[in-house]
Amino acid sequence: YASYTSSPDLKAFERRLTEYIACLQPATGRWRMILIVVSVCTATGAWNWLIDPETQKVSFFTSLWNHPFFTISCITLIGLFFAGIHKRVVAPSIIAARCRTVLAEYNMSCDDTGKLILKPRPHVQ
């Protein structure tokens, strides 16, 4: 891999990219925890809803009314997906992937933390 120690612009770009990705990490971790908690609550509620013998005997909406924990957690999970939680939990990966796409034009890449990778120049014969 080539060195870019002589280019202050590349150093500044790498520093800013790593700073931005690092800044996203705490929020990403929180969103992941929220998604895990709501998913576990929904799964637990669904299990209780499915094993309840009354569920088969009453209408769908009555069974949902009888299981408010499942209903609320399921609505919350659906709301989180409509709010874009699936994008927020992978935001640093999305940024890194988009940067890789742009940097490929300049024979460079970056890792998931934002560190630049300079690729050797192709030899034209």
Side-chain angles (χ1 to χ4, degrees):
Y1 295 99
S3 173
Y4 59 91
T5 56
S6 62
S7 175
D9 289 340
L10 284 178
K11 284 186 202 176
F13 176 75
E14 179 185 60
R15 194 168 37 251
R16 182 65 182 120
L17 183 58
T18 55
E19 176 185 304
Y20 184 71
I21 289 175
C23 183
L24 288 174
Q25 293 297 344
T28 299
R30 284 191 295 274
W31 284 114
R32 285 180 182 158
M33 287 305 299
I34 290 170
L35 182 59
I36 288 169
V37 168
V38 173
S39 296
V40 168
C41 288
T42 303
T44 305
W47 176 255
N48 290 331
W49 180 59
L50 290 172
I51 63 169
D52 184 8
E54 290 295 313
T55 300
Q56 297 175 2
K57 298 175 185 173
V58 296
S59 71
F60 176 71
F61 291 110
T62 304
S63 70
L64 288 178
W65 185 258
N66 291 340
H67 295 275
F69 180 74
F70 169 67
T71 306
I72 291 169
S73 60
C74 191
I75 290 170
T76 303
L77 186 63
I78 292 168
L80 286 172
F81 274 99
F82 277 123
I85 195 169
H86 56 290
K87 293 178 185 174
R88 294 172 197 227
V89 297
V90 293
S93 301
I94 293 171
I95 299 296
R98 289 179 182 171
C99 285
R100 280 188 205 102
T101 303
V102 172
L103 290 170
E105 295 290 321
Y106 301 99
N107 212 28
M108 292 188 286
S109 186
C110 67
D111 63 11
D112 288 335
T113 64
K115 296 279 185 192
L116 288 180
I117 301 168
L118 299 175
K119 297 179 181 177
R121 293 183 183 184
H123 297 296
V124 180
Q125 296 178 358

